[in-house]
Amino acid sequence: MPREELVMLRGTTFVADEAALHTELALGQGTAVLLQVMRVRKRRAVTGSNDGTLRLWDLDSATCLRVFSGHQDLVRCVAVDWESRCALSGSDDGTLRLWDLDSGACVERLWAGHGDSGQVHCLAADWSRRYALSGSKDRALRLWDLDRARCVKTLRGHEDWVWCVALGPGLRGALSGSEDGTLRRWDLGRDICSGTLRGHDGHVWCVVVDWGSLQALSGSNDCTLKLWDLEGAACLTTLRGHEGWVQCVAADWAARRALSGAEDRTLRLWDLDRAECLRTLLGHEGHVRCLAADWHAQRALSGGADLVLRLWDLE
């Protein structure tokens, strides 16, 4: 990892590289010195935009570090692997592009289709196996081998555009949401749809899955989120409160919390067990299009139609 991506940390305090560290050590015989200063990763984020670019951001200084150019149309989705220094993006230009975060270069282009039907709306990546799953305007999902830069299987069953996907561990399963109002569970070993979840009264825009408990949380243009039991293909509860289409969601399954963003310009923090909104976050002056949450640090980053990224303290 490049040195500029790291920062010194002493205890819980950030320390500049040029700072003098003062300490008094009283050492007895056989006493070991514990080094309490370490170098940790700085806070970074990658975003995609309607201008066809991706941008790498320093969240501490709120500055753009690098612009990635190459897509010929708006960027709908992005996934990042900080360990391998790669990002994968999907665009309305019908391609997925694999990027080197250090050089800013596009190292691979994956062709999803011709014309409007090939628009890539969503993606999920398994970086350890170097595979990705994408959903498109042509109603299909495609599984990609990133190392060989080719599509290895195509899944069909949705009756309208696919807007969200989640990829299960070991490439065994997947979940997708569509403009047809359904979520579909996929068996990637047998290349079949193994279940259909119905209940939303509108397009399914976003989904997040806990594969351990086989629960999922989806957001829709019916202004609700629904918590699902994937095994029984049943809706467990419905979360109401947004006054616009719910377009993005993240979940802390261990704490039974979720965060959603919607066209009503708000983010809402939810208690999943009580189906209750705990907090409403105001600040965006346009629709909230995307979000990512760091639940350990209790921080979230959201992007809106107001062309602004906002970093939130969830506590």
Side-chain angles (χ1 to χ4, degrees):
M1 181 179 297
R3 186 179 180 87
E4 61 269 17
E5 292 277 329
L6 303 173
V7 65
M8 293 292 289
L9 185 69
R10 183 182 188 185
T12 59
T13 304
F14 290 111
V15 181
D17 283 348
E18 65 274 13
L21 301 177
H22 301 286
T23 186
E24 295 181 1
L25 300 176
L27 300 179
Q29 186 175 3
T31 301
V33 178
L34 177 63
L35 183 64
Q36 295 184 346
V37 180
M38 60 182 177
R39 193 172 291 275
V40 299
R41 180 182 295 151
K42 291 183 180 179
R43 296 189 296 173
R44 298 285 190 259
V46 176
T47 59
S49 171
N50 284 5
D51 64 10
T53 69
L54 290 88
R55 292 176 182 263
L56 175 66
W57 300 89
D58 182 328
L59 298 184
D60 294 314
S61 63
T63 57
C64 177
L65 303 176
R66 184 169 293 116
V67 178
F68 303 81
S69 300
H71 280 298
Q72 303 303 308
D73 208 329
L74 64 91
V75 178
R76 292 272 187 187
C77 46
V78 62
V80 181
D81 181 31
W82 298 106
E83 295 303 322
S84 66
R85 313 292 302 156
C86 288
L88 183 67
S89 57
S91 168
D92 274 9
D93 65 10
T95 70
L96 295 95
R97 290 177 181 258
L98 189 63
W99 304 89
D100 183 320
L101 293 182
D102 295 326
S103 67
C106 175
V107 297
E108 207 67 72
R109 188 180 74 162
L110 312 176
W111 189 254
H114 296 277
D116 286 348
S117 64
Q119 293 177 1
V120 181
H121 290 164
C122 52
L123 65 86
D126 182 335
W127 292 105
S128 63
R129 288 174 170 80
R130 302 285 293 175
Y131 277 81
L133 184 68
S134 65
S136 299
K137 186 177 179 180
D138 65 1
R139 309 177 184 183
L141 291 89
R142 290 177 173 83
L143 186 66
W144 302 88
D145 182 328
L146 298 181
D147 288 332
R148 291 187 288 174
R150 69 182 186 92
C151 176
V152 295
K153 62 181 63 179
T154 301
L155 306 171
R156 300 189 183 276
H158 279 297
E159 298 174 2
D160 214 326
W161 304 355
V162 180
W163 282 110
C164 53
V165 293
L167 188 56
L171 301 178
R172 293 187 297 272
L175 187 69
S176 58
S178 167
E179 199 154 322
D180 64 14
T182 71
L183 294 103
R184 288 179 180 261
R185 189 177 173 192
W186 302 90
D187 183 325
L188 297 182
R190 296 185 293 163
D191 300 346
I192 62 169
C193 174
S194 57
T196 301
L197 286 69
R198 306 179 188 276
H200 278 298
D201 293 325
H203 311 162
V204 180
W205 289 115
C206 53
V207 69
V208 61
V209 181
D210 178 17
W211 295 102
S213 68
L214 286 179
Q215 290 191 355
L217 184 65
S218 60
S220 167
N221 69 351
D222 63 10
C223 306
T224 72
L225 295 104
K226 288 184 179 290
L227 182 65
W228 302 90
D229 170 14
L230 297 184
E231 196 68 39
C235 177
L236 300 175
T237 190
T238 300
L239 308 179
R240 305 180 189 277
H242 279 298
E243 298 176 359
W245 299 2
V246 181
Q247 295 205 310
C248 47
V249 65
D252 180 357
W253 294 104
R256 304 296 291 173
R257 296 287 186 269
L259 185 68
S260 58
E263 289 202 338
D264 61 9
R265 305 183 180 186
T266 72
L267 292 95
R268 288 178 180 260
L269 184 65
W270 304 88
D271 182 314
L272 294 180
D273 291 329
R274 293 187 292 171
E276 176 181 295
C277 179
L278 302 175
R279 189 172 300 124
T280 300
L281 307 179
L282 304 173
H284 277 292
E285 297 178 359
H287 306 164
V288 181
R289 299 296 194 193
C290 55
L291 66 87
D294 180 347
W295 295 105
H296 178 73
Q298 288 295 293
R299 297 287 187 271
L301 183 68
S302 61
D306 54 5
L307 309 182
V308 173
L309 294 165
R310 292 184 179 271
L311 186 63
W312 303 89
D313 181 346
L314 298 182
E315 294 181 321

